[in-house]
Amino acid sequence: MSAPVRLGIVMDPIGDIKPAKDSSLAMLLAAQRGGAELHYLELRHLWLRDGVAYGLAHRLTVRDSASDWYTLGAGVATPLGTLDVLLMRKDPPFDTEYIYSTYILDRAEVAGTLVINRPQGLRDMNEKVYTAWFPECCAPTLITRSIEDMRAFVREHGKVVAKPLHGMGGRSIFVVEEGDKNENVVFETLTEYGERFAIVQRYLPEIVTTGDSRVILVDGEPVPYALARIPSASDHRGNLAAGATGVGRPLNDRDRWLAAVIGPRLRERGMLFVGLDVIGGFVTEINVTSPTGIRELDKQFGLDIGGQVYASISRRLAERGARRG
């Protein structure tokens, strides 16, 4: 009988999650059903010593419960290279501390651990900037420090969405129309008076009617349903964390085309679980850090996306074992 897969996860405090909506929990439940031995870590539990990546790993048991969803064992200093697979599921902000953690995960990867998503990809693929690699899939987009260039972009398009490059969950997202007296203060705030890069995109009015759809890619292939996040009547943001309502829908031809263009490139670079944010047929973000949407789609359509993720992980582990053999 083969030894169980030793699966670690780096995430935000598990006691603070919303279990009914948490995609990391869905992945852990699927891995546990598949016989994996679970190990829990937070960013503060990671360190490097003489080039070796370590973590204070806690044995973890999970349950599909709204009130009692986990049990943690005592932390044990563990070389991360002894884990078979390590899921990096820490939420943004994508700051210097996040980047430092990917260096530690790089060393775990060198030691033989399958790290999902790959640390180099996490560093290279800023969720907003990486859309520039697929301009044919995106609405007009400007990334700049220049407040004057942002103002010109507003004049060109009439109405835009402006946001920082490092946030998540709808934080600091602004809609600016031509003639808006708050235009300068919005751009000054986002760029810190021209000292930081920010992103401006043409406003897509479909956000109001069809929402901001999350298309999930598992190992480059799309899940057959998207989660359309419809803003509330009092907000413009299609983020569940900002009060949007999640409504599942089948993928359309445009969704499948976007996935066919972007998915293979992500798979080649080791990005196994990715969320494309799509408004009006255009990709606005490529989420590689900790995309969500599993639980809502599973519930609405009887899916097991966490199981798909774990099956893909198992295939990759088997391929690595075959090559080593």
Side-chain angles (χ1 to χ4, degrees):
M1 184 176 179
S2 59
V5 170
R6 302 187 76 224
L7 182 144
I9 186 167
V10 179
M11 59 184 291
D12 292 297
I14 192 168
D16 295 341
I17 69 172
K18 297 178 180 178
K21 296 184 176 182
D22 195 86
S23 290
S24 295
L25 180 60
M27 294 179 190
L28 290 168
L29 288 165
Q32 185 173 267
R33 288 195 303 270
E37 176 184 293
L38 306 182
H39 299 264
Y40 166 87
L41 306 102
E42 299 172 22
L43 239 57
R44 63 192 176 95
H45 296 142
L46 305 179
W47 74 92
L48 277 174
R49 174 65 188 266
D50 300 326
V52 178
Y54 290 90
L56 191 67
H58 301 70
R59 281 295 304 274
L60 171 67
T61 303
V62 289
R63 294 171 290 279
D64 195 1
S65 166
S67 58
D68 178 30
W69 59 90
Y70 73 101
T71 300
L72 283 181
V76 177
T78 304
L80 297 183
T82 64
L83 298 174
D84 296 299
V85 60
L86 184 57
L87 305 180
M88 177 50 161
R89 290 285 300 171
K90 171 71 176 68
D91 285 342
F94 188 84
D95 54 14
T96 53
E97 287 300 301
Y98 192 104
I99 292 172
Y100 295 151
S101 73
T102 67
Y103 297 144
I104 298 175
L105 299 183
D106 270 339
R107 296 304 298 169
E109 191 175 55
V110 167
T113 302
L114 175 63
V115 182
I116 302 297
N117 287 322
R118 284 199 70 194
Q120 182 178 352
L122 293 174
R123 287 194 300 274
D124 290 350
M125 300 178 190
N126 176 278
E127 303 193 328
K128 298 171 180 66
V129 179
Y130 194 60
T131 57
W133 271 249
F134 305 96
E136 70 276 26
C137 300
C138 304
T141 299
L142 172 68
I143 297 171
T144 185
R145 288 182 169 198
S146 169
I147 294 171
E148 183 54 43
D149 287 351
M150 289 180 167
R151 294 175 64 189
F153 193 83
V154 176
R155 291 193 294 272
E156 179 183 354
H157 294 287
K159 190 173 184 178
V160 305
V161 174
K163 50 192 173 182
L165 295 179
H166 61 278
M168 65 162 289
R171 296 172 189 167
S172 301
I173 294 179
F174 298 90
V175 173
V176 180
E177 295 188 60
E178 188 173 7
D180 190 333
K181 292 184 178 181
N182 288 312
E183 177 183 84
N184 283 337
V185 71
V186 168
F187 296 153
E188 289 165 1
T189 299
L190 288 176
T191 66
E192 294 186 6
Y193 292 89
E195 295 299 315
R196 295 176 67 102
F197 286 100
I199 185 170
V200 188
Q201 297 167 317
R202 187 182 74 195
Y203 178 80
L204 299 168
E206 293 86 351
I207 183 68
V208 176
T209 54
T210 57
D212 182 347
S213 292
R214 169 62 52 81
V215 176
I216 294 176
L217 305 179
V218 178
D219 215 3
E221 295 295 328
V223 171
Y225 298 91
L227 185 67
R229 296 159 301 174
I230 312 296
S232 68
S234 60
D235 207 321
H236 60 261
R237 294 170 296 175
N239 303 85
L240 298 180
T245 301
V247 180
R249 63 165 179 80
L251 297 189
N252 56 40
D253 289 343
R254 177 70 177 183
D255 297 325
R256 286 187 283 270
W257 179 80
L258 294 170
V261 172
I262 299 172
R265 297 267 291 276
L266 295 169
R267 180 175 58 241
E268 289 167 6
R269 300 192 62 182
M271 313 309 282
L272 187 142
F273 186 73
V274 176
L276 306 181
D277 287 352
V278 180
I279 303 174
F282 294 103
V283 172
T284 61
E285 295 187 17
I286 299 174
N287 292 271
V288 299
T289 52
S290 57
T292 59
I294 285 181
R295 301 286 266 176
E296 292 86 353
L297 289 176
D298 281 356
K299 182 177 180 180
Q300 292 185 39
F301 299 105
L303 306 177
D304 180 15
I305 300 171
Q308 289 180 246
V309 172
Y310 189 64
S312 292
I313 289 170
S314 299
R315 283 194 297 271
R316 290 200 178 196
L317 289 174
E319 290 168 1
R320 287 157 63 99
R323 285 197 295 269
R324 289 175 182 173

